[in-house]
Amino acid sequence: MANLHAESLYESLRTRRARVGVVGLGYVGLPLAVEFARAGFSTTGFDLDADKVRAIYAGKSYIDDVPTKDVADLRAKGLLTATTDFDALKDVDTVNICVPTPLRKTKDPDLSFIVAAAESVAVRLRPGMLIVLESTTYPGTTDELVLPILQRTGLVCGSDFFLAFSPERIDPGNRKFHTRNVPKVVGGVTSDCTRLASALYETAIETIVPVSSPRVAEMVKLLENTFRAVNIGLVNEIALMCDRLGIDVWEVVSAAATKPFGFMPFYPGPGLGGHCIPIDPFYLSWKAKQSGFEARFIELAGAVNGAMPHYVVSLVGDALNGIRLPLNGSRVLLAGVSYKRDVDDIRESPALDLLALLQARGAILDYTDPHVPMLPGRLWPNGINLEHVEVEALPAGSYDCVVVMTDHAAFDYDLLQRAGKVVVDTRNAIKNPGPNVLRLGGPRCSQALESLATA
Ligand SMILES: NC(=O)c1ccc[n+]([C@@H]2O[C@H](COP(=O)([O-])OP(=O)(O)OC[C@H]3O[C@@H](n4cnc5c(N)ncnc54)[C@H](O)[C@@H]3O)[C@@H](O)[C@H]2O)c1
C-alpha cells in the first residue's frame, strides 16, 4: 500500500487505535458494534432512535442475540458508546452503515435510509476514513449511489477515503452461527478499499472472503437470499401438491434429506417473513428490470410464498368445518406471531397477513407468543390491539381453533392442542398430533374431525 492514508489506517486498525463507528443499531448494527468493541476498538453506535441509544448507554441490550451482560461489560470498559449526535462521526475512522432497506408499496427499493446515512457521513468525511455499506441492496448501489454522495465532498475514493460493500449474513436466533463465525464477503471500490475493509473485519470475524468489487459482494447477498426464497417457494408448492395427492410433505422432505449429496432440505410454512427473504429478491428483480431482464423465478416464488397465508385460511376453514363451525364468529388463537422460531421480530410476518384475513372473515382473534408481549392493530388493515395470552391458564377447548404459526421452543404443544377444539399446525411442530390436528401439507383426516363433531 503506497497510499499514506491507507497505510496509516491499516496500522491503526492493526493496533486497534482506530475509532470505529456503526450507523444503525438494529438486528445487524448492534451485534456488529459489540464485536468491534470486543475486538478492542473504541466503538460508537449512531442511531436516530433515542430509545436504542439510551438503552446502550444504560448498558442494556434490546436484541435477543446480544446478551445485556456483554453490552454492560463493554460499557464498563469504556469500549462501547452510542449517540444520536451525528457530529460525533467526525471523531471516527471507520463507519459501517447498517440501516434498513425496505420496499415501497409498489415493490420498488426504498433507498432513502441509505441516502440519509451516506449524507450524514459525507458532511463529516475527512481524509483517511473507511466507509462500509452493509445494508442489503441491489448490485450497483455502492458505486452508483453512495460513492457519488461521498465524492461530492471533493475527496477521492481510493486515495483520500475508502469505500466497500460487505453484506451482513446474520441469522437472528441461530445459536451456532453468529456475527463472529459467519464468513464475511468484502468487495471494495479499489484494491486498497478491499484490503482496509478486510483488515477491519479480520479483527472481529473469523473468515474474510474478499471479492473483486462491491457489485459482486452485493450480488452474493442477493443470490443467497433469492436461493432461499425460490427453494421455499418450491417446497411450498410441493406442500400444496401433497395436500391434493394425500401425501405427507414433511415425511417426503425428511426422507429426501437423507440423500448425502445433491439435495438440501427446505420446509414449507405459512409464508415468508422478516426483513430479508420476502424483500431482498425484489431488489434484484427491480435492478434486473432496469436492464430489460425479467427475473421469472423471483416473481414466481414471490407469488407462491405470498399466497401461503390464504392457504392457511382455507385450512382453518376446513378444520372448523370438520366440527361444523363457521369461521365467522369462531374464536381463533394464533400461536406465534414473530416470523420465525425463537425471535421477537414481527416484520413482514405471515401472522400479520393471517390476522387480517381472519378478521375480515369475522373470526374473533387472540394470539400467544412469549417473544411478543403486544401486537399493535396498526400492523394490519383495520387491526385491533392484541396482547399475548398465557396458554397455561386456559381451560381445555377455550378456542374453536388454534393455529400454530411459529414453532417457538418455549411452546408447550400439548397445552396448545388442549386449548383448541381443532388445531392447524403450519410448521409440523406438534410431534404427537391428536385427531383434532390438521397439518399444513399433511394428509387430511376428515373422518377424525367429523368424529370430533359427533362425539
Ligand atoms: N435482520 C436481519 O436478519 C438481517 C440479516 C442480514 C442483513 N440484513 C440487512 O441489514 C440492514 C439492516 O437491517 P436490520 O434488521 O438491522 O434493521 P433494523 O430496523 O433492526 O435496524 C436499523 C436501524 O437503523 C436505524 N436508522 C434508520 N435510519 C438511520 C439513519 N439515517 N441514521 C442512523 N440510524 C438509522 C433505525 O432506527 C434502526 O435502529 C437491512 O438492509 C437488512 O436487509 C438484515
Side-chain angles (χ1 to χ4, degrees):
M1 274 186 218
N3 178 297
L4 282 185
H5 292 307
E7 273 179 62
S8 144
L9 180 58
Y10 189 82
E11 192 52 22
S12 58
L13 288 169
R14 203 183 58 77
T15 54
R16 311 291 194 270
R17 274 186 291 107
R19 293 150 306 167
V20 168
V22 176
V23 174
L25 295 171
Y27 289 92
V28 166
L30 181 60
L32 185 69
V34 163
E35 283 306 331
F36 284 144
R38 205 179 266 147
F41 289 108
S42 162
T43 305
T44 306
F46 298 82
D47 207 294
L48 302 171
D49 183 342
D51 287 342
K52 286 186 175 138
V53 167
R54 261 194 297 272
I56 294 172
Y57 224 81
K60 290 190 184 131
S61 171
Y62 42 85
I63 301 280
D64 281 352
D65 290 343
V66 177
T68 276
K69 184 178 175 314
D70 292 7
V71 176
D73 287 353
L74 293 167
R75 286 284 303 138
K77 287 182 186 152
L79 287 169
L80 181 66
T81 189
T83 181
T84 53
D85 177 8
F86 286 70
D87 264 343
L89 281 167
K90 285 185 192 146
D91 303 324
V92 298
D93 302 300
T94 69
V95 182
N96 291 70
I97 300 177
C98 310
V99 295
T101 43
L103 287 173
R104 298 189 192 282
K105 280 203 172 70
T106 51
K107 295 224 161 163
D108 289 352
D110 175 359
L111 293 180
S112 58
F113 297 89
I114 293 186
V115 170
E119 281 172 349
S120 49
V121 174
V123 291
R124 285 117 186 160
L125 191 68
R126 51 181 171 68
M129 279 176 94
L130 165 70
I131 317 300
V132 188
L133 179 63
E134 294 222 5
S135 303
T136 307
T137 183
Y138 59 74
T141 308
T142 307
D143 285 345
E144 295 163 10
L145 190 76
V146 178
L147 180 61
I149 293 173
L150 298 178
Q151 291 206 138
R152 241 179 264 149
T153 56
L155 297 175
V156 177
C157 182
S159 52
D160 298 327
F161 71 94
F162 307 94
L163 175 64
F165 181 83
S166 178
E168 180 51 60
R169 295 161 136 180
I170 201 167
D171 179 20
N174 194 321
R175 301 263 168 265
K176 189 168 168 205
F177 293 109
H178 39 83
T179 306
R180 199 171 176 78
N181 64 0
V182 176
K184 198 90 174 91
V185 173
V186 180
V189 174
T190 66
S191 55
D192 272 351
C193 296
T194 307
R195 285 190 65 191
L196 287 166
S198 302
L200 169 64
Y201 288 122
E202 266 161 20
T203 63
I205 293 170
E206 288 168 11
T207 311
I208 310 300
V209 185
V211 295
S212 62
S213 66
R215 250 167 236 269
V216 169
E218 288 157 341
M219 191 70 179
V220 166
K221 174 73 184 175
L222 291 182
L223 168 62
E224 291 165 6
N225 284 2
T226 301
F227 173 83
R228 281 191 64 74
V230 168
N231 278 289
I232 294 169
L234 173 65
V235 82
N236 276 334
E237 189 173 80
I238 297 283
L240 301 181
M241 215 185 283
C242 282
D243 182 342
R244 271 321 149 79
L245 301 175
I247 298 169
D248 186 338
V249 72
W250 304 95
E251 192 183 352
V252 172
V253 174
S254 85
T258 60
K259 188 179 178 191
F261 51 88
F263 184 83
M264 179 189 252
F266 284 84
Y267 298 94
L272 298 180
H275 184 29
C276 295
I277 312 295
I279 292 176
D280 303 346
F282 291 101
Y283 266 67
L284 185 53
S285 59
W286 179 87
K287 183 65 178 176
K289 223 172 261 168
Q290 313 295 303
S291 303
F293 187 90
E294 212 55 53
R296 287 171 296 166
F297 274 109
I298 293 176
E299 299 298 332
L300 182 58
V304 173
N305 293 327
M308 289 310 282
H310 294 264
Y311 173 59
V312 177
V313 172
S314 79
L315 290 177
V316 175
D318 290 354
L320 288 170
N321 194 40
I323 54 168
R324 297 178 189 163
L325 286 177
L327 245 176
N328 196 341
S330 281
R331 282 171 54 78
V332 178
L333 177 78
L334 268 62
V337 289
S338 64
Y339 82 93
K340 75 168 184 178
R341 180 178 228 256
D342 298 346
V343 301
D344 62 357
D345 192 350
I346 51 172
R347 291 176 297 176
E348 312 290 325
S349 173
L352 302 174
D353 293 329
L354 189 69
L355 285 166
L357 293 167
L358 291 176
Q359 186 179 291
R361 286 157 178 78
I364 301 161
L365 299 168
D366 268 324
Y367 82 93
T368 180
D369 192 322
H371 299 275
V372 185
M374 281 182 331
L375 206 53
R378 63 180 153 75
L379 294 176
W380 68 96
N382 307 315
I384 45 165
N385 293 337
L386 296 174
E387 274 181 34
H388 160 70
V389 169
E390 290 293 346
V391 177
E392 286 73 17
L394 294 174
S398 297
Y399 287 90
D400 297 312
C401 183
V402 170
V403 189
V404 178
M405 288 294 281
T406 319
D407 51 347
H408 289 313
F411 278 147
D412 179 332
Y413 290 99
D414 291 335
L415 276 183
L416 284 174
Q417 268 195 85
R418 220 171 52 96
K421 291 175 189 151
V422 288
V423 177
V424 171
D425 180 2
T426 68
R427 301 282 188 178
N428 196 30
I430 301 177
K431 294 306 163 212
N432 302 304
N436 64 336
V437 177
L438 184 58
R439 271 180 314 146
L440 180 152
R444 306 285 180 122
C445 300
S446 46
Q447 289 112 338
L449 292 173
E450 194 59 32
S451 68
L452 286 174
T454 49

